[in-house]
Amino acid sequence: MGARFDLLVFDWDGTLLDSAGAIVRAIQSASRDLGLPVPSEERARHVIGLGLRDALQHVLPDLPPARYPQLVERYRQHYLARDHELRLFDGVPELIGALAEAGFLLAVATGKSRLGLQRAFEHSGIGQCFHASRCADECFSKPHPQMLCELMDELAVGAERTLMIGDTTHDLQMARNAGVAALAVSYGAHPAAALDALAPLARLQAIEELAKWLSDNA
């Protein structure tokens, strides 16, 4: 390993953590609490990976801006009530540990807040493997390239030596906007056809396939 890329940047929700379903349910429950139209699962899944406020604006575009704080508060209450039950996908700890041992620089670019990612790092037990991270309350939301650009600057790695790995079109578009290669996983939030339309280097259907691709190609 290590022949092609130096920096591997992972999305968190839906890529490393099995959380897409919980996010969808929290969005739907928050909408229901406030008497708002409840978005379909497909619509709610589409906004996973965006910063929370951007996600809610996309999923409920007719909501007056003055009500967004209420919706954010209800979403967080529903999500945090269950987030301690969420688990990494099977094989993720072993994969991240092997990549760190192999000498890759590892980073996270996520739609979570810094507080949310810190809590996830501590709960998951793999936070110490990552050299840097960027969150949606620190940068423009995906697909803006700021997260990737800042990570590359911090870790002194060029775009040609960086690989973005994610489960949404937002991840792949962010990589494209930053001039970075991208790898898609289809076990998370977005459907395979939508991911394929953005022409990632490959689309993997399971952590085992992702591990093998990185072993053979990264």
Side-chain angles (χ1 to χ4, degrees), residues 37 105-106 115 118 121 165 167:
L105 291 170
L106 302 178
L115 183 61
Q118 188 59 40
F121 273 171
I165 302 159
D167 69 310

Side-chain angles (χ1 to χ4, degrees), residues 82-134:
R82 304 294 296 272
D83 79 328
H84 63 284
E85 301 173 3
L86 301 178
R87 297 290 181 266
L88 299 172
F89 288 105
D90 290 343
V92 164
E94 294 80 4
L95 170 61
I96 296 301
L99 294 171
E101 186 175 342
F104 287 103
L105 291 170
L106 302 178
V108 170
T110 178
K112 285 185 173 300
S113 66
R114 172 56 59 187
L115 183 61
L117 182 61
Q118 188 59 40
R119 186 171 54 246
F121 273 171
E122 293 170 0
H123 182 67
S124 68
I126 63 170
Q128 73 280 0
C129 294
F130 295 98
H131 298 85
S133 57
R134 288 296 185 278

Side-chain angles (χ1 to χ4, degrees), residues 12 18 27 68 81 90 93 100 113 154 175 196 198 204 208 214:
W12 188 264
D18 187 3
I27 291 173
Y68 278 113
D90 290 343
S113 66
E154 178 178 343
D196 289 345
L198 287 167
L204 296 317
E208 294 79 9
L214 291 173

